[in-house]
Amino acid sequence: MPERRLRRARARVAAALGASALIGVTGVAAGPAGPAQAAPKAPAKAPAAAADCSAAYKIEQKLDGGTTWRMCWHYDSKAGLVLDNVSYQPKGEAAPIKVLTSARLAQIHVPYDDGSNEYDDLTGQGFAASLQQLDPAECPGGTIKTVRVPNEWDPGNPADVKGLCATTRARGHAYRMGGGGPDGNKVYQRQGKDLLLYTVNMVGWYEYITEWRFSGDGTMTMQVGATGTLSPMDYDAGDGRGWPIGKGAKDYATSHAHNVFWRLNFGLDGSSKSKVEQYDSKTTTATGQKPKTKTTRTQVTKELAGDAAAQRWWRVVSTAGKNKDGHPRSYEIVPGHTSKFPGRSYTKHDVYFTEYNKCEQFASHNTRSCSVGKSVDKWVNGQTLKHPIVWVNIGFHHIARDEDQEPMPVHWQGFQLSPRDVTAMNPLTPSALSDHNGHTEEEG
């Protein structure tokens, strides 16, 4: 029931924005509002290679182990939070290493199993306009920044919402190694912390938590968590596709998918001219012999709609910088669990590599008038990759359960960008092990 869903979504958004206005949220278009302890803060004067933006839009955080992450942010009228000029400076590096020119959500596509409804939450359901105000308890140890939120239905009346949390959060073991180093009995271990940025946007009865995590070892984790409540309008005992919720088998919650897309514009070492490589491993067996695996590299020189497969992965490689061992810096794309939705042409693939075009901003129902189609699959048309844009698609098939009542536990979907040869060693390596680079022989 699209009209009812949209009408209810608008009502809830309007209430949220109205509440923000009533309690007097003020300030510039962005910036810290109401610190809640130690927080990621913007320096008065940024280093020469840091993100290029005003202090209100700048985030800088030094993590345990000496790694500093720097970036800018802005808020898009459709995509919501966008991160710009992301750089990573581990201990021992004289200057920040530029990683991403921009990173953002590119669509949340929600088709229902019975074919009755299908939504594009970013471009069609007011995702950005529904930014939720955060309680200080939701951002422990951090700062909640004020965001100027566009009003989709009244462009001249934006709202200031305390809706962006910037904090740090424990990640557990960053590493552990026993019996190493000068003292063979010593255990080397570190409990890591991440820089965490997140927003909450309401669409209909769902609330999407969009998280961006940045770790001390250079790993970036992008994920979206869906929570809120099941729509009370999406119950149909006769459709044969839902799951019984509540007593007996009377009320069936309609099953549906959440297909989340991200758009990544790499700028490794300050250059947009990255290379893309695909790696495939093949294992062979022979009677009486141990299995053997061979890995081959394929240069992705033209636009590609890629499909995940056993023993396949991709990386984006710098053409402008190398680590101290002389190896080109790169980031590997590490998808999380996904349920690929075959119902639309743009959701049939796990990753896309397209040549940069400022018109191409959303993976489906793109809001700009591009010369070729409205979705990312239409943009894969044989162009040579000189400035590749990476699109990652992670799907979740939501078959509701009794435990989804109420509120619904968060279900997460996302991926990581893992550093591959960005530094010559683990940037969190303790000083006692700093000479353990490459092949080492034990004396004796």
Side-chain angles (χ1 to χ4, degrees):
M1 304 172 192
E3 292 183 2
R4 292 188 67 187
R5 182 177 192 263
L6 183 57
R7 184 165 62 248
R8 285 179 177 268
R10 288 183 176 182
R12 296 183 75 174
V13 170
L17 297 182
S20 297
L22 287 173
I23 63 174
V25 180
T26 60
V28 295
Q37 298 177 32
K41 60 180 183 294
K45 185 176 181 180
D52 183 17
C53 54
S54 64
Y57 291 91
K58 187 175 296 180
I59 292 172
E60 179 174 331
Q61 178 65 44
K62 187 172 185 178
L63 299 170
D64 295 345
T67 293
T68 299
W69 285 95
R70 299 180 178 90
M71 65 201 70
C72 297
W73 66 274
H74 73 273
Y75 199 79
D76 182 81
S77 62
K78 296 291 185 183
L81 181 65
V82 180
L83 302 182
D84 303 301
N85 301 324
V86 178
S87 70
Y88 158 57
Q89 187 175 8
K91 180 180 63 178
E93 292 289 336
I97 299 167
K98 294 184 179 180
V99 180
L100 292 166
T101 299
S102 68
R104 55 187 283 174
L105 286 179
Q107 193 56 273
I108 301 177
H109 169 245
V110 186
Y112 277 68
D113 284 17
D114 61 3
S116 61
N117 296 318
E118 184 177 12
Y119 306 106
D120 294 277
D121 282 348
L122 265 62
T123 55
Q125 295 293 315
F127 173 90
S130 67
L131 182 69
Q132 299 299 289
Q133 183 154 299
L134 300 177
D135 186 275
E138 297 183 80
C139 191
T143 295
I144 299 176
K145 295 177 177 291
T146 300
V147 182
R148 174 63 55 89
V149 180
N151 188 324
E152 189 172 15
W153 305 284
D154 185 3
N157 186 31
D160 290 333
V161 179
K162 294 179 179 178
L164 169 58
C165 172
T167 188
T168 58
R169 184 171 292 178
R171 63 176 293 201
H173 275 92
Y175 62 75
R176 187 187 191 282
M177 186 183 80
D183 182 354
N185 296 319
K186 184 175 177 60
V187 173
Y188 293 92
Q189 70 87 30
R190 176 178 289 278
Q191 299 298 303
K193 277 191 176 181
D194 295 343
L195 165 63
L196 169 64
L197 309 175
Y198 83 87
T199 56
V200 179
N201 295 77
M202 180 185 292
V203 180
W205 297 93
Y206 272 91
E207 298 188 21
Y208 293 113
I209 304 172
T210 306
E211 284 197 352
W212 306 83
R213 287 174 175 261
F214 303 88
S215 300
D217 61 7
T219 301
M220 293 173 277
T221 303
M222 292 77 168
Q223 59 181 0
V224 168
T227 183
T229 186
L230 295 173
S231 169
M233 299 168 303
D234 292 323
Y235 285 82
D236 182 354
D239 68 6
R241 294 178 175 85
W243 194 270
I245 301 295
K247 296 185 181 299
K250 178 183 177 182
D251 296 326
Y252 282 69
T254 307
S255 302
H256 53 279
H258 297 260
N259 304 308
V260 181
F261 288 84
W262 288 259
R263 181 184 185 274
L264 306 173
N265 183 357
F266 278 86
L268 285 168
D269 293 300
S271 174
S272 63
K273 298 178 180 180
S274 301
K275 296 188 299 183
V276 177
E277 296 176 349
Q278 177 177 309
Y279 289 79
D280 289 277
S281 300
K282 183 178 181 181
T283 300
T284 57
T285 58
T287 302
Q289 297 182 7
K290 295 179 180 178
K292 295 182 179 180
T293 300
K294 182 178 181 180
T295 300
T296 58
R297 175 180 62 182
T298 302
Q299 299 283 355
V300 180
T301 59
K302 295 185 181 298
E303 294 176 317
L304 172 71
D307 294 301
Q311 297 183 300
R312 171 177 291 170
W313 54 278
W314 297 271
R315 71 169 181 159
V316 180
V317 188
S318 173
T319 60
K322 297 181 178 180
N323 68 17
K324 293 177 182 178
D325 282 346
H327 302 146
R329 294 188 175 105
S330 72
Y331 265 88
E332 178 181 344
I333 300 166
V334 185
H337 176 75
T338 185
S339 297
K340 189 157 49 178
F341 179 73
R344 290 293 181 186
S345 57
Y346 47 85
T347 56
K348 289 182 178 180
H349 303 286
D350 300 293
V351 63
Y352 295 87
F353 301 98
T354 63
E355 178 63 9
Y356 172 80
N357 183 329
K358 65 180 181 181
C359 173
E360 297 167 358
Q361 296 292 322
F362 295 93
S364 70
H365 292 79
N366 191 54
T367 55
R368 300 187 183 184
S369 299
C370 298
S371 58
V372 183
K374 285 283 190 180
S375 57
V376 64
D377 57 302
K378 303 298 191 298
W379 305 330
V380 179
N381 55 13
Q383 282 186 277
T384 298
L385 290 177
K386 297 179 180 178
H387 178 176
I389 299 297
V390 180
W391 307 76
V392 180
N393 169 30
I394 303 292
F396 175 79
H397 188 207
H398 188 188
I399 299 176
R401 54 186 179 148
D402 278 340
E403 288 85 353
D404 284 340
Q405 305 174 115
E406 175 182 38
M408 184 191 307
V410 183
H411 53 79
W412 293 99
Q413 56 200 105
F415 67 102
Q416 288 187 327
L417 295 175
S418 179
R420 179 169 286 275
D421 306 336
V422 174
T423 51
M425 295 181 68
N426 182 347
L428 303 179
T429 296
S431 57
L433 304 177
S434 61
D435 60 340
H436 288 210
N437 184 21
H439 181 247
T440 59
E441 295 282 353
E442 294 185 2
E443 296 181 1

